[in-house]
Amino acid sequence: MDIALISVSIDLGAGRRGVDMGPSALRIAGISREIEAIGHTITELGTVTAGGLETTDAGEHELRFLDEIVHVADETRKLVHEGLARGCTPLVLGGDHSLSIGSVAAVADHYGSRGASVGVIWVDAHADMNLPRTTPTGNIHGMPLAVLLGQGEPQLTSNRTCVLPENVSVLGARSLDAGEKRLIRELGVRVFTMSEIDERGVGVCMDEAVERAGAGTAGFHLSFDVDVLDPRIAPGVGTPVRGGLTYREGHLVCEKAWRSGKLLSLELVELNPVLDDRNQTAELGVGLVASALGAAIL
């Protein structure tokens, strides 16, 4: 397999600085080496770099840094499009989760032009389904899944192919805002909370998410936010929530994504090296990506 590797250096969508350095931390941790060791080749497509917080106008809109985030999403979309046009599997390194507004839209565009839809498995402690009227912070990294479902700020949703809620699952959620809960129920997005995972097991839940994402679609995009993991094993995140996935549960999610044969593209986001401990979260992230790309115990 040829992997189109794309870095998106942005932290303007988040409430804390540092996730813009996530792609560099993953490269230092050896992500290219690990991917090549599996047997894949890598095509470097470049880096999208957002303006700095100190030099970028936050704007007068209720959503912070809206214009710059739209620009970054558009540039990300172009690179993911390029990777797909070359016949590669896109791998996006982030960066805060607002980048998915561009990455997932590109995948939906690409397959939509062929008359097919795509599914999404959103592995995250949060649903990222706030709207401008429900956001408690104005941080756009709390909104991308809503945007991809066609909901929210017109500057973010316009000219983007939407995904269908019946093909979308959130896995690992344990921190949801009231407005997100209402929208989840209204749209019918499937959310596998940590309570359900505790009770039923992550393997069963992931199997159901894969079935939902692949039902009548070309396949699915895997969006993996490292804050889905328990902060005891993944301290390098800006929005930690206790009680997350274990090391093995995280790997099983990624292994099942690969074994499904339906993985079209993937991203690893919200790694904050400023908050990490000796790059351990980055090293864990590299291992998760490797599992999602076919690395196996035996």
Side-chain angles (χ1 to χ4, degrees):
M1 182 182 289
D2 197 354
I3 305 298
L5 191 58
I6 299 161
S7 295
V8 183
S9 179
I10 181 171
D11 66 0
L12 298 179
R16 301 182 73 171
R17 303 299 313 278
V19 290
D20 58 324
M21 295 184 284
S24 294
L26 290 164
R27 290 176 181 277
I28 291 168
I31 195 163
S32 296
R33 180 179 65 251
E34 288 296 316
I35 292 170
E36 290 170 340
I38 301 168
H40 303 307
T41 57
I42 293 176
T43 298
E44 290 277 2
L45 290 190
T47 298
V48 179
T49 304
L53 183 142
E54 297 82 5
T55 57
T56 304
D57 185 1
E60 298 179 1
H61 198 279
E62 59 195 324
L63 305 184
R64 300 174 66 246
F65 301 105
L66 174 62
D67 290 345
E68 182 66 7
I69 288 171
V70 169
H71 171 71
V72 169
D74 288 342
E75 293 302 306
T76 301
R77 186 179 181 180
K78 290 176 186 176
L79 289 183
V80 174
H81 264 305
E82 181 181 345
L84 290 165
R86 293 188 184 193
C88 301
T89 297
L91 167 59
V92 182
L93 309 178
D96 74 64
H97 223 153
S98 67
L99 66 86
S100 300
I101 295 168
S103 60
V104 180
V107 181
D109 289 346
H110 178 81
Y111 288 95
S113 68
R114 303 178 178 189
S117 57
V118 299
V120 174
I121 301 179
W122 199 266
V123 187
D124 200 324
H126 312 86
D128 295 343
M129 287 182 62
N130 266 304
L131 301 173
R133 67 177 182 271
T134 66
T135 174
T137 63
N139 295 328
I140 294 177
H141 77 158
M143 303 180 185
L145 187 53
V147 170
L148 295 166
L149 289 159
Q151 305 291 314
E153 168 57 42
Q155 274 188 256
L156 295 170
T157 59
S158 63
N159 300 316
R160 300 185 192 279
T161 302
C162 298
V163 294
L164 301 175
E166 56 263 35
N167 298 127
V168 174
S169 295
V170 178
L171 189 87
R174 54 196 187 276
S175 178
L176 302 174
D177 295 319
E180 290 180 301
K181 294 177 184 179
R182 288 193 296 271
L183 188 60
I184 287 165
R185 295 188 185 103
E186 176 186 329
L187 297 181
V189 170
R190 181 68 164 94
V191 177
F192 296 92
T193 66
M194 280 306 304
S195 295
E196 182 174 355
I197 289 170
D198 289 341
E199 187 170 348
R200 301 180 64 216
V202 73
V204 172
C205 294
M206 183 59 181
D207 286 341
E208 292 183 11
V210 168
E211 182 178 2
R212 183 181 178 92
T217 70
F220 66 86
H221 174 91
L222 180 69
S223 186
F224 199 108
D225 184 326
V226 289
D227 73 19
V228 75
L229 302 165
D230 194 274
R232 290 175 297 180
I233 63 167
V237 299
T239 50
V241 185
R242 289 187 295 178
L245 297 182
T246 66
Y247 177 90
R248 272 306 312 155
E249 286 174 332
H251 274 278
L252 184 58
V253 166
C254 294
E255 290 162 4
K256 282 183 170 288
W258 171 259
R259 293 202 300 263
S260 72
K262 298 178 179 180
L263 182 65
L264 303 174
S265 52
L266 68 158
E267 62 201 10
L268 189 79
V269 302
E270 296 284 355
L271 169 64
N272 192 328
V274 174
L275 303 171
D276 206 1
D277 181 7
R278 293 170 293 181
N279 220 30
Q280 73 177 76
T281 309
E283 291 173 359
L284 175 53
V286 167
L288 292 168
V289 169
S291 287
L293 293 176
I297 295 170
L298 181 64

